[in-house]
Amino acid sequence: QVKLVESGGGSVQAGGSLRLSCVGSGYTFSAYAMGWFRQAPGKEREAVAGVYPSGATEYADSVRGRFTISKENAQNTLYLQMNSLKSEDTAIYYCAARLGTYTRASIYYNYWGQGTQVTVSS
């Protein structure tokens, strides 16, 4: 049974930092593309950052230079380091996994975590 469990969310002031973690189990972690998505109230879910099975990464324009995605295959863990946080980063953050290449389209992801809330106050 595939399971993704996020942690690390919380409340922080603008300019602060948080690190999200996502632990995967029940599948070959290294063979899957993984992504971080977020959904703010009243908005659609959007891709934030992703990592290919090769380790290559992609970022949304809104977070490039501030967020860093990484994964530790030996620990089955995906990370999102978020620096210089802004109020517009406030959302529920989800990690997701799919077999194959990374895509920003959430519809193609087979597995999702439960989400973790990130709140940035200005």
Side-chain angles (χ1 to χ4, degrees):
Q1 180 182 359
V2 174
K3 192 173 183 181
L4 299 174
V5 179
E6 300 104 333
S7 62
S11 297
V12 64
Q13 289 191 330
S17 299
L18 285 172
R19 188 175 83 155
L20 306 183
S21 300
C22 171
V23 179
S25 60
Y27 67 103
T28 305
F29 187 85
S30 59
Y32 279 60
M34 298 199 67
W36 285 101
F37 294 78
R38 66 186 181 187
Q39 188 164 19
K43 295 188 176 182
E44 293 188 355
R45 190 170 297 189
E46 63 173 355
V48 174
V51 57
Y52 292 80
S54 66
T57 58
E58 280 193 18
Y59 296 91
D61 290 343
S62 59
V63 306
R64 188 175 291 112
R66 300 188 297 123
F67 290 11
T68 302
I69 188 171
S70 62
K71 65 173 182 172
E72 178 58 61
N73 288 335
Q75 302 295 327
N76 285 5
T77 304
L78 178 74
Y79 300 100
L80 185 68
Q81 177 67 44
M82 304 186 295
N83 298 328
S84 302
L85 282 161
K86 306 176 180 179
S87 57
E88 51 263 44
D89 295 319
T90 296
I92 299 175
Y93 284 69
Y94 300 89
C95 68
R98 69 181 299 265
L99 185 63
T101 191
Y102 170 72
T103 173
R104 297 182 181 184
S106 61
I107 190 173
Y108 294 113
Y109 284 78
N110 308 97
Y111 308 111
W112 291 85
Q114 82 287 355
T116 185
Q117 177 71 48
V118 171
T119 302
V120 184
S121 57
S122 56

